[in-house]
Amino acid sequence: MQKADRSVWELRRIWLVGFLLLPFLLLAGGWLGFNHAREQALQQADERLTLYASSFEGAINRYDYLPWLIAQTPDVRRLLDQRAPELIERVNEFLLETRNTSLADEVYLMDAEGLTLVSSNFRTAESFVGNNYRFRPYFTDAIRTGRGEFFAIGTTTGLPGYFLSQEVFSLNDQQRGVAVVKVDLEPLQADWQSAAEKVFVSDTNHIIVLSSHPEWKYRYLEPLTDQQLDDLERNRQFDGITLSPLGSHNDAALLHMPVSDTESERFLNRSLELSRPGWRIHYLVPLEPLYRFAALTTGVVLILYILCLTAVLWMRERSRRAHAALQAEQRLRNLNDTLEDQVIERTAELEKRTSELQRIQRELVQSEKLAALGIMAAGLSHELNQPLTAVRTYAASGRKLLARGLIDQVDTALDKIMTLTSRMSDITSQLKVFVRQAPIQKQPVDWAARIDFVLDMLEHRITQQQVRIDTKIPAQALIRGDDARIEQILVNLIGNALDAVAQQSEPQVTIRLSDQNHGWCLQVEDNGPGFAKEQIKHLFEPFYSTKNVGQGMGLGLFICYGLVQDLGGNIRAEIPDEGGARFVVWLPGSDEKATAA
Ligand code: ADP
């Protein structure tokens, strides 16, 4: 598979896994969020329930003692025996005072038939006095067991209350009655309402008797049985109230309750059993905020998931790029290695070719030398042929003159022979350089001293030609070379200059030596006829000569060129502005002290 295809496939796989995982993650996020919020809300509900239950219990229990206390009061007990008007009035006052002090709703006393004898509200229009409450369970229970308690809506006042009762005996224990304290629980609801919480208390029949929501009051959560309806009818617990069902539920933990005329809401039902048998206090946890929290968690999970997915894709992209960069670097390195190998290979090849070329050049030089030797041999035989013929002629004529006894003329002939042999010696001396093939001994040579030496050597010729020699030479000019080669160069250049000025009326040769570019530069200039510009390129060629046959072989400058090359310098010919000829030679300098004399 191609790398690009694999990368695309991997990317698709990430996206696919990402999309498949998403619903599960969202569900898990929502579920976790919901459960967390639910746990928190239920924990809070339990705390509130405990608090409200204890305040509910407290609201009743604080009056627990009161019926008993009233039952112990002598005037109350006496009243059961003799119902004298002043006693009635006194007990009425006592009950009113007791009610005001204890903050109970009402306090009253019934006889054994359930008739109210005295009551703390005796002065009000809703006075209980004269009313019979024998149908109330708190009366029957007190007569039966000595104590009773019951929640009911007052048949006289229409106000709900919790009734606590205690059996009372007359002083002589002949008569019985029931002391009752009615406790108002309505203020509890105000606390719940102000806390904006949904709290209610249900009784044994699952009828809501107290509620933070007034519309839920006196409505039942479970359908009432006929028995229950009969009992309610009999004890007139909810006198004047039409009981109706409230909400719906599949299980007791989840209630569907109306919150307004048209709307209803679902609540988690948390309840706690109260000390009154069958009574429970309920705290409702609305589900809506829990769902909202779950939605929020789902949103957060979605965002986190998108971020994670983006991070994964980003990291993947980064590692892909790093990998690509690494590969590119590797490719570059390989390329570099290949190039280096090629360079080494080519260099080796080049070196091989160079050495081959050098070998060929050497062979060429050798063959050129051989060719030159041939030419030279021809030139030499040509040059020597003429003087040799002349020598032979002079010798033959000398022999004849000697036979005739003409000694003077023989001497002249011998002179001529000597002149001719000396010229032949000159010709052959030029060839000596070709014989010298010894390697150059590069040692410090004082060029200035060599000039003086050569000028001394040519002194006779200079004087004879009456040439003015103008020199500008430093005391010492050290170069690297050997005496013989330097002298050969000087002899050729100065000799050529002397040849050139031979026909001049005021012959002059100028010799200058100056330091230049880590070496020394020699200029040999003369005021002779010079040479044409186009001649310059031929001057250093072998056997190039403009001199008459027998006067020059055209090897002097060619030899000079070779010697200067051997010493690592250079030579050139120039035409000075004022006419004549100038030869310039540069040779590398030497810092060592000259050893040559
Ligand atoms: P030769 O002196 O035997 O001719 P050279 O190689 O020394 O050989 O010189 C070659 C030629 O260069 C000379 O024939 C001459 O024409 C020219 N030449 C050399 N030196 C001078 C000079 N100083 N002035 C003019 N021409 C020169």
Side-chain angles (χ1 to χ4, degrees):
M1 197 190 289
Q2 288 288 311
K3 203 177 280 178
D5 289 351
R6 199 165 55 223
S7 170
V8 170
W9 191 83
E10 258 177 37
L11 197 68
R12 279 188 190 156
R13 198 175 55 176
I14 290 174
W15 278 113
L16 187 73
V17 172
F19 275 115
L20 287 177
L21 266 177
L22 187 61
F24 295 103
L25 281 172
L26 292 182
L27 273 175
W31 186 81
L32 281 174
F34 179 81
N35 270 304
H36 174 74
R38 183 174 161 275
E39 287 305 314
Q40 294 281 313
L42 289 182
Q43 194 183 338
Q44 193 196 349
D46 288 345
E47 284 167 11
R48 304 299 283 172
L49 268 179
T50 315
L51 184 76
Y52 291 144
S54 78
S55 65
F56 174 84
E57 301 285 6
I60 297 172
N61 292 346
R62 60 192 281 218
Y63 295 104
D64 245 6
Y65 72 95
L66 201 53
W68 177 85
L69 199 71
I70 293 165
Q72 306 308 314
T73 312
D75 273 354
V76 173
R77 295 178 68 188
R78 193 172 295 125
L79 186 69
L80 290 176
D81 287 329
Q82 39 171 303
R83 296 175 192 178
E86 69 278 1
L87 186 60
I88 288 173
E89 199 183 330
R90 200 161 66 238
V91 174
N92 266 335
E93 290 295 341
F94 164 73
L95 291 181
L96 179 61
E97 205 173 322
T98 306
R99 173 210 177 246
N100 290 343
T101 314
S102 67
L103 299 177
D105 196 25
E106 298 299 347
V107 184
Y108 53 99
L109 177 74
M110 294 183 282
D111 67 7
E113 300 307 316
L115 182 75
T116 308
L117 302 174
V118 281
S119 172
S120 56
N121 63 354
F122 68 99
R123 285 210 182 93
T124 63
E126 292 90 28
S127 171
F128 298 159
V129 179
N131 291 341
N132 194 309
Y133 299 116
R134 62 180 306 158
F135 53 88
R136 293 295 201 195
Y138 64 79
F139 172 76
T140 47
D141 287 348
I143 292 296
R144 199 159 38 94
T145 63
R147 273 191 76 86
E149 56 185 83
F150 189 65
F151 175 85
I153 293 170
T155 49
T156 316
T157 58
L159 296 172
Y162 199 83
F163 298 85
L164 297 166
S165 59
Q166 173 76 39
E167 188 180 21
V168 187
F169 291 95
S170 63
L171 282 174
N172 56 12
D173 287 340
Q174 294 297 309
Q175 300 296 326
R176 288 201 298 168
V178 174
V180 184
V181 173
K182 183 182 178 187
V183 180
D184 184 13
L185 297 175
E186 295 295 299
L188 285 174
Q189 302 172 126
D191 291 347
W192 304 339
Q193 272 169 0
S194 64
E197 285 168 333
K198 298 187 168 43
V199 185
F200 62 81
V201 174
S202 62
D203 70 0
T204 329
N205 300 316
H206 307 293
I207 297 170
I208 296 171
V209 291
L210 288 170
S211 170
S212 59
H213 277 55
E215 61 271 24
W216 294 350
K217 254 168 98 172
Y218 311 130
R219 299 178 74 175
Y220 51 85
L221 297 167
E222 304 282 338
L224 295 168
T225 60
D226 291 343
Q227 175 66 47
Q228 284 171 319
L229 285 170
D230 282 351
D231 287 348
L232 289 174
E233 183 71 36
R234 198 176 56 253
N235 58 37
R236 297 169 65 185
Q237 188 178 0
F238 298 99
D239 205 36
I241 301 244
T242 315
L243 295 171
S244 59
L246 176 74
S248 60
H249 62 87
N250 290 331
D251 70 284
L254 196 68
L255 290 180
H256 204 100
M257 303 284 271
V259 288
S260 70
D261 288 346
T262 52
E263 285 175 60
S264 64
E265 218 180 302
R266 291 201 302 158
F267 297 92
L268 289 175
N269 176 23
R270 205 71 173 167
S271 67
L272 192 69
E273 194 167 355
L274 295 166
S275 61
R276 317 292 138 185
W279 282 48
R280 295 190 79 85
I281 183 162
H282 301 253
Y283 188 99
L284 298 189
V285 176
L287 275 175
E288 192 62 32
L290 305 188
Y291 289 141
R292 273 207 301 276
F293 190 80
L296 191 76
T297 325
T298 311
V300 170
V301 167
L302 182 69
I303 289 167
L304 284 177
Y305 184 70
I306 288 169
L307 284 177
C308 282
L309 202 66
T310 313
V312 166
L313 289 171
W314 179 76
M315 275 163 69
R316 184 192 160 276
E317 182 63 19
R318 214 175 76 147
S319 78
R320 196 185 63 77
R321 280 188 188 179
H323 185 68
L326 216 67
Q327 277 186 332
E329 197 184 310
Q330 187 59 44
R331 273 204 300 277
L332 216 65
R333 208 175 291 141
N334 290 347
L335 201 71
N336 199 29
D337 288 351
T338 315
L339 275 174
E340 265 177 25
D341 286 352
Q342 280 181 356
V343 166
I344 291 167
E345 212 172 284
R346 298 271 158 84
T347 309
E349 204 175 314
L350 212 67
E351 274 170 4
K352 206 171 130 195
R353 283 192 186 171
T354 310
S355 68
E356 180 77 2
L357 217 65
Q358 279 172 346
R359 191 183 59 77
I360 293 168
Q361 203 175 21
R362 273 200 305 276
E363 281 175 14
L364 213 68
V365 166
Q366 200 59 34
S367 61
E368 269 183 7
K369 271 187 185 171
L370 287 173
L373 208 64
I375 297 167
M376 197 169 69
L380 204 63
S381 74
H382 176 78
E383 289 292 321
L384 291 176
N385 219 18
Q386 199 190 359
L388 266 177
T389 313
V391 164
R392 203 184 299 132
T393 309
Y394 281 123
S397 66
R399 188 186 279 170
K400 281 180 186 167
L401 288 170
L402 199 65
R404 282 189 219 156
L406 297 170
I407 300 300
D408 287 349
Q409 287 180 24
V410 170
D411 190 50
T412 312
L414 285 173
D415 259 359
K416 292 217 168 145
I417 287 168
M418 276 181 69
T419 311
L420 287 166
T421 51
S422 119
R423 185 179 298 165
M424 285 193 285
S425 160
D426 277 354
I427 292 166
T428 52
S429 72
Q430 295 280 11
L431 301 169
K432 274 191 274 179
V433 70
F434 290 105
V435 182
R436 267 182 214 242
Q437 283 303 321
I440 312 160
Q441 298 276 314
K442 280 191 184 174
Q443 55 193 16
V445 175
D446 184 2
W447 209 354
R450 292 303 95 207
I451 294 170
D452 286 345
F453 175 78
V454 170
L455 284 176
D456 273 354
M457 212 167 69
L458 297 170
E459 177 63 36
H460 175 71
R461 218 177 135 190
I462 293 163
T463 318
Q464 206 178 28
Q465 283 186 227
Q466 294 180 335
V467 180
R468 198 178 134 215
I469 303 289
D470 198 359
T471 55
K472 203 174 173 192
I473 302 163
Q476 198 182 45
L478 292 182
I479 50 158
R480 283 166 61 77
D482 66 81
D483 290 352
R485 281 181 166 82
I486 304 292
E487 283 163 16
Q488 181 91 41
I489 295 165
L490 289 168
V491 166
N492 277 331
L493 294 179
I494 299 170
N496 275 347
L498 291 174
D499 283 349
V501 295
Q503 303 302 318
Q504 297 301 314
S505 52
E506 287 181 9
Q508 186 178 331
V509 173
T510 311
I511 302 168
R512 287 194 204 99
L513 192 59
S514 56
D515 60 337
Q516 202 182 84
N517 195 22
H518 304 298
W520 290 94
C521 185
L522 171 78
Q523 289 189 12
V524 180
E525 198 175 320
D526 63 70
N527 61 349
F531 33 73
K533 206 175 172 188
E534 52 279 5
Q535 276 182 280
I536 290 179
K537 60 178 182 285
H538 300 298
L539 292 181
F540 297 98
E541 287 174 1
F543 307 111
Y544 177 81
S545 175
T546 57
K547 291 174 188 168
N548 295 329
V549 177
Q551 285 179 352
M553 276 185 68
L555 285 172
L557 288 179
F558 170 67
I559 289 165
C560 278
Y561 184 85
L563 293 172
V564 170
Q565 290 284 312
D566 287 348
L567 295 172
N570 56 62
I571 181 168
R572 66 179 189 272
E574 290 175 355
I575 302 171
D577 294 340
E578 58 277 11
R582 184 193 297 145
F583 285 86
V584 183
V585 181
W586 178 87
L587 288 174
S590 166
D591 291 336
E592 289 174 47
K593 212 177 161 205
T595 50

